[in-house]
Amino acid sequence: MTGRPIRVERRPVDERESREANGPDWDAYADEYQATHGDYLGDVGFLWGPEGLTEAEAGALGDVRGLDVLEVGSGAGQCSRWVSAQGGRGVGLDLSHRQLQHSRRLDDATGITVPAVRGTATALPFADAAFDVVFCSFGALQFVADIEDALAETARVLRPGGRFAFSITHPTRWSFPDDPDSPGLTATSSYWDRTPYVEVDDATDTVAYVEHHRTLGDWVRLLHAHGFVLVDLLEPRWPDQHDRTWGGWSRLRGVLIPGTALFVADLATRADDDRHRIGRIS
């Protein structure tokens, strides 16, 4: 991601390697990322992905007024700042110290302060049932190896009936090269190959960047296993007037294959569990 000489591999990578690679990588990339995409994201803006779908359009979080809302993988806090502007109490968490420095910069620039901490999705530094909503906009989850731990932590910090919404690279995109031009239109790998994508620094032979792939079915089963009820799955279409290229996302590809998947789920309440058990008995 940072322009260094790298080689690409597909091989197993554990949580420790993933974290040790992705934290420093985002620290190194943060300035370039904010300079390149900051205006598009907006200092007080909420985009779910490169297609430009906003939370105001999607309504995935519902009405956040008066609610405690946690953003996992918050970066510079643009989404949480939007939540705060809507009357919610936004809180951010990110693995990258440099991204959190950008969040503080935007706090000062906008006058909307987002409390934010450095941490990981697999060990959230918050009390049980502390939040009404947890969300993740293209951050954290696809960089996590121990995804079971991340979802267990999300369920732990949510109040019963709370909302969990997250966007990721659409799983079908893993079959295609990460290329916004015509080579990116030909499937070259199996959709069911869950082997992580790994970038290795040629100079040091260390893992420098990692992403983890799960299928749509994997995500549905993960949510169910951790007590969530899937409410919606949005696959944003490429807007007619949208010409921005962002990494492997482009108009050429976006009008043919989905680039983003947005999952919306609620944490089951005791009443939901009781109804489910009664239904199974009957």
Side-chain angles (χ1 to χ4, degrees):
M1 289 175 63
T2 56
R4 61 186 177 275
I6 57 107
R7 67 178 185 273
V8 172
E9 301 176 351
R10 296 290 295 274
R11 64 173 176 81
V13 179
D14 63 18
E15 179 62 27
R16 179 188 60 80
E17 277 189 294
S18 297
R19 194 179 305 168
E20 290 179 356
N22 289 328
D25 184 82
W26 274 104
D27 281 341
Y29 182 51
D31 290 356
E32 178 185 345
Y33 179 86
Q34 295 299 333
T36 302
H37 303 298
D39 288 344
Y40 179 57
L41 296 171
D43 294 350
V44 187
F46 196 139
L47 297 183
W48 280 112
E51 296 86 358
L53 177 68
T54 68
E55 170 55 14
E57 296 166 325
L61 305 188
D63 187 351
V64 297
R65 286 176 294 182
L67 301 186
D68 297 305
V69 181
L70 172 63
E71 179 179 9
V72 179
S74 56
Q78 288 96 335
C79 295
S80 289
R81 207 165 283 107
W82 182 89
V83 165
S84 296
Q86 308 309 305
R89 292 182 289 273
V91 176
L93 175 139
D94 203 278
L95 185 61
S96 167
H97 177 70
R98 186 57 178 162
Q99 286 280 57
L100 293 176
Q101 288 180 320
H102 280 288
S103 185
R104 177 60 63 86
R105 170 179 61 81
L106 294 182
D107 286 348
D108 294 340
T110 62
I112 302 175
T113 298
V114 174
V117 298
R118 187 167 181 257
T120 174
T122 58
L124 298 174
F126 304 104
D128 295 356
F131 296 97
D132 302 292
V133 177
V134 175
F135 75 92
C136 181
S137 177
F138 254 87
L141 297 182
Q142 53 199 26
F143 304 110
V144 170
D146 292 345
I147 194 63
E148 295 268 4
D149 291 345
L151 264 68
E153 280 290 273
T154 299
R156 180 184 66 78
V157 303
L158 266 175
R159 293 167 185 145
R163 174 61 52 90
F164 177 36
F166 62 94
S167 60
I168 56 170
T169 300
H170 197 288
T172 59
R173 283 282 301 274
W174 280 75
S175 295
F176 299 84
D178 193 25
D179 189 320
D181 297 319
S182 55
L185 299 178
T186 302
T188 56
S189 62
S190 170
Y191 169 73
W192 295 278
D193 182 2
R194 298 164 176 84
T195 309
Y197 169 88
V198 181
E199 293 181 0
V200 180
D201 191 316
D202 267 342
T204 63
D205 203 38
T206 58
V207 176
Y209 178 80
V210 180
E211 282 196 55
H212 298 270
H213 166 51
R214 286 102 191 174
T215 68
L216 288 171
D218 291 340
W219 282 111
V220 171
R221 286 185 289 275
L222 281 163
L223 288 166
H224 177 73
H226 290 87
F228 290 99
V229 177
L230 185 64
V231 174
D232 204 352
L233 170 57
L234 287 75
E235 300 164 294
R237 300 194 66 170
W238 197 266
D240 290 340
Q241 305 304 317
H242 187 44
D243 291 319
R244 184 183 183 88
T245 297
W246 184 335
W249 285 261
S250 66
R251 167 174 290 281
L252 177 68
R253 302 181 74 190
V255 298
L256 297 174
I257 56 174
T260 298
L262 169 54
F263 292 81
V264 184
D266 289 340
L267 186 63
T269 64
R270 184 180 297 274
D272 293 328
D273 292 338
D274 289 344
R275 282 195 296 270
H276 179 65
R277 282 195 296 272
I278 292 169
R280 291 184 63 184
I281 292 170
S282 61

